[in-house]
Amino acid sequence: LASKALVNFGIVGFAVAVGWFYFSNIFDKVGRSLGLIGLGILFLAGGWALEVARRRLLRRMGQTESVEVVS
């Protein structure tokens, strides 16, 4: 279960779910220009946060793999 590809796939799935929610609910309620500005901010902040989380998960996976090899 400790697969780096699985972590990357989960991160992409989460990003798609957030994007889908944004387009289906919030984009309909605000004006087009405000929605596009918000979408840009969401992509920048969300991409940064997801990358930090992905690197943290992969770092932890690397630590557990090295411990398992030693044991």
Side-chain angles (χ1 to χ4, degrees), residues 11-52:
I11 294 294
V12 169
F14 179 74
V16 168
V18 169
W20 186 268
F21 171 77
Y22 188 83
F23 275 115
S24 65
N25 291 334
I26 297 173
F27 200 68
D28 291 338
K29 294 178 184 173
V30 298
R32 182 173 174 86
S33 62
L34 185 60
L36 290 173
I37 290 170
L39 185 62
I41 292 170
L42 176 71
F43 281 168
L44 288 174
W48 175 79
L50 286 175
E51 180 63 19
V52 169

Side-chain angles (χ1 to χ4, degrees), residues 7 49-61:
V7 170
L50 286 175
E51 180 63 19
V52 169
R54 186 186 73 86
R55 288 182 185 198
R56 188 180 321 123
L57 283 170
L58 292 177
R59 190 176 331 115
R60 274 196 244 156
M61 288 173 60

Side-chain angles (χ1 to χ4, degrees), residues 59-71:
R59 190 176 331 115
R60 274 196 244 156
M61 288 173 60
Q63 289 175 352
T64 58
E65 289 175 1
S66 63
V67 171
E68 290 174 4
V69 171
V70 174
S71 298

